[in-house]
Amino acid sequence: MALGTRVTTTTQSKLVPKVVDTILNSNVLATRVLTKDSKWNGERMKFPVKYSKNTTGTSFAGFDTFSTSATDNRVNLEFVPKFYQMTVALPLDELSANATEEKVIDLAKIEMASTAQDMADDIGSLFYSTGTGNGGKDFLGLEAIVDDGSNAATYGSLARATYTGLNSTVTASSGTISLSKMSSLYNAAASGSQTPTLGVTTEAIFAMYEQLLQPQERIAKSVSMMKSDPGRGLNSGDGMVGGTGFTGLFYKGFPILADEKCTSGVLYFLNEDFLDFHALPVAMTDPVKYRATDIEGNDYSEVEGLGFSWRGWIKPTNSAAVIGHIYLGGELISANPKRHAKLTGITSV
């Protein structure tokens, strides 16, 4: 029921000093990767990988002749940086009106923070892609990295058919998920101390996995947004703000998380020691640290940084407005795709 004019003409309205996000949802993989990015160096990054053994070893006796052949068993994975941007544009008349003493929320600040979050949301989708979008300008995603040549025949400029050690384990589930299939997937990706550190999947498959657990095993734990440091132990989470995180179910000691960006029907097992976003700051920009205290209701509100940079406001010569651009440069890279695996085509338990 609408209030009468006796009230509306005598009572001031109240603008709540928070923006509630009803659009953005979970972005688990991108949040964990981007909050612990690595530095990009050079015009391209090269990762030497060993693709074959030295086979000159032999037992011997007396004056047996040894092989004098040199072996060549390494080759370089090569990656070039890619870039993404999103525009922030505001008219000066709105900025002027917002600059009065009645201002509740800073318009320029909230617009920049909101745009940076929208951009992170876009990138979260790209991190599950093949990297072939927009003429190959998109960042690489898990569908290219965790692959056996089906989606990405070439990886890091090398043909997977030739260098088979670049293939991940890709297993068709035949529709169902089970603990035995998950165990086989884990064993295929693991070798000694090199084991998966993170599982990501859809919300639907996350619920299916929960059904496979005994009641006493269905213990949901908070998992850091930030990926762990190699050698520091699982989910060390250096630099976390406020102790926030995701809710995960554990499998063989590592968390499985639901990500609404995840490819439908797929469960990924990832070794985060071999998955990094190498960030390259865009020239003539400043780093963005957008702790968005004025936005609530999504996964980004408590995250600082994420490797973005800000171009600064540009003043057009023919309009009363300012325009700026937020950038992210670099590439999502795994120097050892063999340590990742995925189960595909999951539809039921």
Side-chain angles (χ1 to χ4, degrees):
M1 181 182 69
L3 297 174
T5 56
R6 289 187 300 274
V7 175
T8 59
T9 58
T10 59
T11 307
Q12 192 175 42
S13 298
K14 169 70 173 179
L15 178 64
V16 177
K18 290 280 185 180
V19 174
V20 179
D21 184 353
T22 63
I23 298 298
L24 304 183
N25 296 312
S26 71
N27 196 3
V28 174
L29 178 67
T31 303
R32 280 178 66 91
V33 170
L34 291 176
T35 49
K36 193 70 175 178
D37 52 16
S38 301
K39 184 179 179 181
W40 184 282
N41 287 295
E43 55 91 18
R44 66 183 60 214
M45 292 198 69
K46 297 182 179 182
F47 297 83
V49 295
K50 182 176 179 178
Y51 67 90
S52 65
K53 289 178 59 177
N54 184 327
T55 58
T56 61
T58 181
S59 56
F60 71 95
F63 288 96
D64 286 354
T65 302
F66 303 151
S67 171
T68 58
S69 298
T71 60
D72 188 357
N73 56 10
R74 290 181 299 277
V75 68
N76 286 329
L77 283 172
E78 297 186 9
F79 301 90
V80 296
K82 296 178 181 178
F83 299 89
Y84 197 90
Q85 75 84 35
M86 190 167 280
T87 302
V88 185
L90 290 169
L92 292 184
D93 55 353
E94 292 184 6
L95 286 171
S96 299
N98 181 246
T100 67
E101 62 182 17
E102 297 300 322
K103 176 177 68 178
V104 177
I105 299 174
D106 187 293
L107 177 58
K109 178 182 176 182
I110 197 71
E111 197 67 21
M112 289 176 61
S114 178
T115 298
Q117 293 186 5
D118 292 344
M119 182 172 163
D121 191 70
D122 284 357
I123 292 166
S125 297
L126 296 181
F127 280 0
Y128 283 100
S129 71
T130 60
T132 57
N134 196 21
K137 299 174 188 177
D138 287 350
F139 296 123
L140 286 173
L142 292 189
E143 284 299 284
I145 295 170
V146 188
D147 188 52
D148 59 2
S150 301
N151 295 321
T154 300
Y155 180 71
S157 77
L158 300 178
R160 277 181 153 129
T162 301
Y163 301 98
T164 56
L166 299 178
N167 288 327
S168 305
T169 297
V170 180
T171 304
S173 72
S174 300
T176 60
I177 185 173
S178 66
L179 292 177
S180 63
K181 291 177 182 178
M182 292 173 65
S183 180
S184 296
L185 192 73
Y186 174 91
N187 290 336
S191 180
S193 63
Q194 301 298 325
T195 60
T197 62
L198 176 70
V200 288
T201 191
T202 65
E203 291 180 312
I205 296 174
F206 184 85
M208 293 177 199
Y209 170 59
E210 187 174 20
Q211 293 179 48
L212 298 176
L213 302 177
Q214 297 296 323
Q216 66 271 20
E217 297 173 315
R218 296 176 188 174
I219 302 174
K221 298 181 180 180
S222 179
V223 181
S224 169
M225 284 184 179
M226 182 175 287
K227 60 184 287 191
S228 59
D229 281 334
R232 290 290 309 280
L234 184 63
N235 303 316
S236 58
D238 291 356
M240 280 298 298
V241 178
T244 57
F246 306 110
T247 299
L249 292 169
F250 277 67
Y251 177 77
K252 292 186 182 293
F254 65 91
I256 295 180
L257 303 175
D259 190 346
E260 289 166 283
K261 300 291 185 183
C262 186
T263 308
S264 178
V266 177
L267 167 64
Y268 295 94
F269 281 175
L270 307 174
N271 185 327
E272 293 176 288
D273 290 349
F274 301 106
L275 184 67
D276 292 285
F277 186 82
H278 292 264
L280 175 62
V282 175
M284 302 177 68
T285 64
D286 297 313
V288 173
K289 294 185 178 181
Y290 68 92
R291 184 169 169 80
T293 55
D294 294 329
I295 304 176
E296 58 185 20
N298 61 39
D299 287 340
Y300 310 97
S301 299
E302 298 296 332
V303 181
E304 286 192 70
L306 297 188
F308 298 109
S309 59
W310 169 245
R311 169 68 173 82
W313 293 114
I314 302 169
K315 300 176 181 178
T317 58
N318 61 347
S319 64
V322 288
I323 299 170
H325 302 277
I326 298 174
Y327 300 104
L328 179 67
E331 183 61 293
L332 182 64
I333 296 173
S334 175
N336 197 353
K338 181 181 178 180
R339 296 305 175 203
H340 312 302
K342 67 180 178 183
L343 192 63
T344 65
I346 303 169
T347 57
S348 62
V349 177

